[in-house]
Amino acid sequence: MKAAVLRAPNAPLTIEQVDLDTNLLTGEVLVRITHAGVCHSDYHIMIGETPHPMPVVLGHEGAGIVEAVGPGVSRLHKGDPVAVTFRPFCGYCRQCNSGHPNLCDNVEVLRRACRLSQHGERVYNFIGVSCFAEYTVVHESAAIKVPSDVPLDRAALVSCGVMTGVGAVINTAKVSPGETVAVIGCGGVGLNVIQGARLANASVIIAVDIHDNKLEMATTFGATHLINGRSEDAIKKVRELVKGGVDWSFEVIGLPATMEQAYAMIRKGGTAVMVGMPPSASKVSFPAFSFFAEEKTVKGSMFGSARPSIDIPRVLDLYKHHQLQLDELISRHYPLERINEAYEALARGEVARSVIDL
């Protein structure tokens, strides 16, 4: 099958023929990928910020059609349209039983490690998905059936970016009506944090970015105030707009400097939610005394604290009822052969989300 292969950090992806082991184990499904989102998490691997064995087929935000099901699969059938997620879950571990399947203790067991090869040599799979390829094999819990009337390019975005952003507000933070929010980073995930805050009826939604075009997009998704962090002191401006600081800040870039900014923007008793994926070796520093004196909280959010089988259909239902914007997220479509152009556009900050059409 055709796939985009990364052979070394800072090297272009190359379109190659690779082999996929389609011998399905118990609970697995074969999916023909139709669309894949261009996400910054893959870019961390491409530029060497997050180490990963190579060669590797990246891509973790996808959608497609079930082509075959393995033993024991009853929830899905051949021909079903599905969103493919990177967080399979077992349903019985401590995390799953406590309502946190996004943190499943058995996630690595459910991701079959060696599935791809080329000329008898191993090609690495990326977090159990590798959807920059024509086909993938995943555990059935990572393939969420979607309504047949939802376009699959939209469904692909919900499998990571939309769920990560909206879920950070609705599930992780549980923002209440009337509360105030600041969002640092207005890329694909950040825009979904903003529309999550709008869905939660936040009274003030402050968008912070260094690109004016992204700030303009933020208004479309619900931002009430805009701050260009390159030309303004973002912390000072936020605390001017909301005296004492916001109730909630969301960092959606993954840089220590912006994580520290997010912490400085919240009020006493406020919470900074860390959504962005940081480089694996990075560290962040917060004033220790403020935890005691101001009761500030720092909270992580993985995949929007999602319960995929529940939350992905709910998000798509919001889209179908015109309460959630997915059409507006897609800035460009690219064929797989132009995937490097798609990542160049992402790196330049030109797009909200690009979609690879397979």
Side-chain angles (χ1 to χ4, degrees), residues 138-161:
V138 296
H139 188 264
E140 64 173 324
S141 64
I144 309 301
K145 187 174 179 179
V146 302
S148 59
D149 57 347
V150 172
L152 285 175
D153 57 347
R154 274 63 168 173
L157 303 186
V158 175
S159 70
C160 177

Side-chain angles (χ1 to χ4, degrees), residues 52 124 126 168 192 208 245 284 314 330 339:
H52 195 284
Y124 286 90
F126 182 55
N192 283 292
V208 183
V284 66
R314 283 182 175 177
I330 300 177
I339 191 169

Side-chain angles (χ1 to χ4, degrees), residues 4-13 16 41-58 116 118 121-126:
V5 180
L6 178 66
R7 296 200 163 272
N10 296 302
L13 297 167
E16 305 178 21
S41 297
D42 302 280
Y43 190 63
H44 284 296
I45 309 294
M46 293 169 64
I47 62 175
E49 287 185 347
T50 301
H52 195 284
M54 298 188 187
V56 59
V57 176
L58 298 173
L116 300 167
Q118 187 182 56
E121 299 294 326
R122 180 173 182 173
V123 176
Y124 286 90
N125 177 280
F126 182 55

Side-chain angles (χ1 to χ4, degrees), residues 272-305:
V273 182
M274 304 304 168
V275 183
M277 176 182 169
S280 57
S282 61
K283 296 183 182 298
V284 66
S285 177
F286 303 113
F289 189 74
S290 65
F291 286 100
F292 161 75
E294 298 182 344
E295 292 190 357
K296 288 187 172 184
T297 300
V298 176
K299 190 173 181 65
S301 180
M302 157 60 76
F303 190 34
S305 302

Side-chain angles (χ1 to χ4, degrees), residues 84-136:
V84 179
T85 83
F86 65 101
R87 296 299 300 185
F89 55 93
C90 69
Y92 57 80
C93 71
R94 179 181 181 183
Q95 297 296 342
C96 288
N97 279 331
S98 63
H100 302 95
N102 65 307
L103 301 176
C104 176
D105 289 329
N106 295 311
V107 63
E108 293 304 331
V109 176
L110 301 175
R111 292 170 174 166
R112 187 170 172 185
C114 187
R115 176 73 68 177
L116 300 167
S117 64
Q118 187 182 56
H119 310 305
E121 299 294 326
R122 180 173 182 173
V123 176
Y124 286 90
N125 177 280
F126 182 55
I127 53 176
V129 182
S130 292
C131 63
F132 290 157
E134 293 178 300
Y135 293 88
T136 188

